[in-house]
Amino acid sequence: SGDLRVRATDKSAGRAFVLRAGRDKGVKALSGPITLDAAQLAGRIEAKDVDALFRDGRCRRAAGQIRFRAAHDPLLGDATFAGTPACVGGDWVARLTPTSGGGAAITLRADGAGRLQAEIAVATADPVLVQAALDQGFAKDAAGVRRVISTRLSAEKAVKLP
C-alpha cells in the first residue's frame, strides 16, 4: 500500500460533483480527468458520465465509462485501459482492460466508507518483466504479478444537488 491522493473536477459542468443528500453519497455524471498523485500508478484517468452512488454505505448505482492511459509504465507501457463500473457485493467496481488486448487488468474498487483500491494485475511469464515488477513492490501469483494500492477518497468540497 502506498500514498495515493485522488483529485477530480468536473470542468464541463463547473461545479462540485460530490453528492451528500441524506443517506445518499457519491458522485453523479462525473466527466473529465481524474488526477492520481501516485508513483505506483502513473497515468491519466478520464471519466465519462460516471455515477458512483452509495446508500447506507452500499453501492446503489454505478454507470459511465472509465479510461486509463498509462504513462511509460515499465509493465503497462503506454496502453489505454477502459471499462464500465458496476455494483458488486455492495462495492463500486470498475475492471479496466487494455483496449488493444493483452494480459493486464486494473480493477478499481470503492466502498461506501470512502476507501479506494486499485489492483494492477499483469499476466506474464517473462522473467525480466516479473523481476522488474517485484522490484516495484508487486507480488508474484499463478498468472504473473499483482499489486494493490489503497487510499481514501476525500471530498474537499461536498455540495447537495437539488
Side-chain angles (χ1 to χ4, degrees):
S1 137
D3 182 34
L4 176 67
R5 290 191 306 275
V6 180
R7 192 170 65 246
T9 50
D10 186 341
K11 291 196 171 65
S12 59
R15 62 170 165 74
F17 59 84
V18 176
L19 169 70
R20 284 213 177 124
R23 302 182 314 173
D24 292 344
K25 283 198 299 202
V27 299
K28 204 168 179 186
L30 171 68
S31 292
I34 297 173
T35 309
L36 290 182
D37 300 322
Q40 307 96 322
L41 191 59
R44 175 188 171 96
I45 293 183
E46 193 79 35
K48 187 172 181 197
D49 296 326
V50 168
D51 287 355
L53 294 177
F54 293 88
R55 174 169 291 167
D56 297 332
R58 293 185 60 79
C59 182
R60 294 283 300 192
R61 178 167 164 75
Q65 185 78 21
I66 295 183
R67 292 172 75 83
F68 172 75
R69 178 163 307 187
H72 312 301
D73 187 277
L75 281 174
L76 306 176
D78 293 317
T80 297
F81 292 75
T84 304
C87 290
V88 180
D91 290 345
W92 179 96
V93 178
R95 182 174 154 78
L96 312 182
T97 54
T99 52
S100 59
I106 299 170
T107 305
L108 302 174
R109 179 182 294 272
D111 68 15
R115 286 183 289 265
L116 175 70
Q117 271 193 344
E119 183 189 56
I120 307 157
V122 181
T124 181
D126 181 329
V128 176
L129 269 182
V130 168
Q131 188 54 54
L134 294 177
D135 292 345
Q136 286 184 44
F138 280 74
K140 200 165 172 6
D141 67 12
V145 292
R146 75 179 52 239
R147 177 169 191 187
V148 176
I149 303 165
S150 299
T151 187
R152 291 194 65 79
L153 289 168
S154 61
E156 289 171 20
K157 195 165 54 170
V159 294
K160 265 191 180 184
L161 296 179

